[in-house]
């Protein structure tokens, strides 16, 4: 099984909300690079995506921490208002319609939201 890296507690993310995190990812070259991700919650299910709009490759949260549309139903790019399904990451409105946010593999372990399948740099 892949190593688990704790991101936050499940109780820190409310239903139909999204939170951003910047982790340090270890590259094969040994270099470390910032890795911004988003964790969303829908009911008891948690979903992770890289915080990068497929339209221009920029972060979704033009205003730090602002990931959701006004009604709180969809992830939204703060630059051009593209909207993404909260659990699949598919864009259904905007210039990148049909594209997807890059998924991040999450595991819930004893109340912790953990990322797996990637090598993170030591703190």
């Amino acid at each position: 099984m892949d190593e688990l890296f704790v991101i936050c507690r499940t109780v820190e993310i409310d239903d139909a909300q999204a939170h951003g995190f910047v982790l340090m990812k270890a590259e094969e070259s040994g270099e470390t690079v910032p890795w911004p991700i988003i964790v969303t919650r829908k009911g008891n299910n948690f979903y992770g995506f890289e915080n990068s709009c497929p339209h221009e490759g920029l972060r979704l949260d033009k205003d730090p921490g602002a990931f959701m549309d006004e009604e709180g139903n969809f992830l939204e790019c703060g630059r051009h208002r593209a909207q993404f399904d909260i659990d699949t990451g598919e864009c259904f409105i905007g210039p990148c319609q049909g594209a997807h946010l890059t998924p991040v593999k999450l595991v819930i372990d004893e109340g912790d939201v953990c990322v797996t399948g990637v090598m993170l740099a030591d703190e």
Side-chain angles (χ1 to χ4, degrees):
M1 182 170 147
D2 288 332
E3 191 171 354
L4 301 178
F5 299 93
V6 176
I7 305 302
C8 65
R9 301 286 298 162
T10 56
V11 296
E12 294 177 43
I13 302 177
D14 294 329
D15 188 23
Q17 292 297 307
H19 288 275
F21 302 90
V22 178
L23 309 176
M24 293 305 290
K25 189 175 182 180
E27 297 288 313
E28 289 182 23
S29 66
E31 183 182 359
T32 59
V33 295
W35 188 45
I37 67 168
I38 304 165
V39 176
T40 68
R41 180 176 186 169
K42 190 172 182 182
N44 289 324
N45 298 311
F46 292 81
Y47 306 93
F49 303 101
E50 289 186 358
N51 185 0
S52 178
C53 181
H55 178 233
E56 295 177 334
L58 300 172
R59 290 172 56 136
L60 293 178
D61 58 334
K62 178 181 173 190
D63 298 319
F67 295 104
M68 304 297 289
D69 68 324
E70 287 184 18
E71 293 79 31
N73 295 319
F74 306 105
L75 290 168
E76 183 174 78
C77 180
R79 288 173 175 70
H80 51 73
R81 303 292 179 235
Q83 291 187 343
F84 302 86
D85 187 276
I86 195 171
D87 52 352
T88 67
E90 181 179 3
C91 179
F92 59 92
I93 293 175
C96 50
Q97 189 169 348
H100 288 79
L101 298 173
T102 302
V104 171
K105 187 175 178 183
L106 299 179
V107 172
I108 306 304
D109 183 47
E110 297 183 13
D112 290 326
V113 178
C114 305
V115 66
T116 188
V118 64
M119 182 53 68
L120 296 180
D122 291 331
E123 293 185 34

